Every structure is written in C-alpha cells, then in structure tokens.
Amino acid sequence: AGSHIKDVRGKGLFIGVELDLPDGTPVQMAALAKGLSINVTQKTVVRLCPALTIDQATMERGLTLFEEALAAV
C-alpha cells in the first residue's frame, strides 16, 4: 500500500500534508481512533500543528500514529 502523501509543505511545526485521496476524512477518523487529533482542510490536506514545546519522543509517537492512520485507509 502507498503512503497516500502527495506533498508536504509548511513553516516550522505548522505542516500541511496533501493526500492523493479524494477525501482525507477517513485518515482523520483513523487517527482519532488511535488517539491522534488532526485536522483535514480543503478535503485533501491534513494539518499537523503540534505544540512548540513538544518533545522528540511525543513527536515521533504522533508521526507513527499518523503513518498507521494513513496505512489504515
């Protein structure tokens, strides 16, 4: 299965991940089921905006959950 990631853009920790899916809502719901809160904008862009004080371990855990959510759709 592919990663469904078409493009990544942003500044600092404010990241937009454009998906090659027609609707990112299933990714959002899969992430939420795993305890990760993400936002879908423009139907195909996932917004990742962690706190500026996030530590490395928490960031890595969040990215792992995001990868798992992508793989679930």
Side-chain angles (χ1 to χ4, degrees):
S3 70
H4 299 297
I5 295 176
K6 184 175 178 181
D7 189 29
V8 178
R9 55 188 176 267
K11 295 210 181 253
L13 291 178
F14 195 72
I15 306 295
V17 180
E18 186 175 359
L19 305 176
D20 67 359
L21 301 169
D23 185 3
T25 304
V27 175
Q28 182 182 26
M29 294 297 105
L32 191 57
K34 295 176 175 298
L36 180 65
S37 178
I38 59 175
N39 184 284
V40 174
T41 64
Q42 306 294 316
K43 286 199 88 122
T44 61
V45 178
V46 173
R47 181 184 302 154
L48 303 175
C49 188
L52 293 175
T53 57
I54 193 167
D55 61 74
Q56 185 73 28
T58 305
M59 177 68 83
E60 289 176 7
R61 178 69 181 136
L63 290 174
T64 297
L65 292 173
F66 182 55
E67 289 174 351
E68 290 172 1
L70 284 170
V73 297

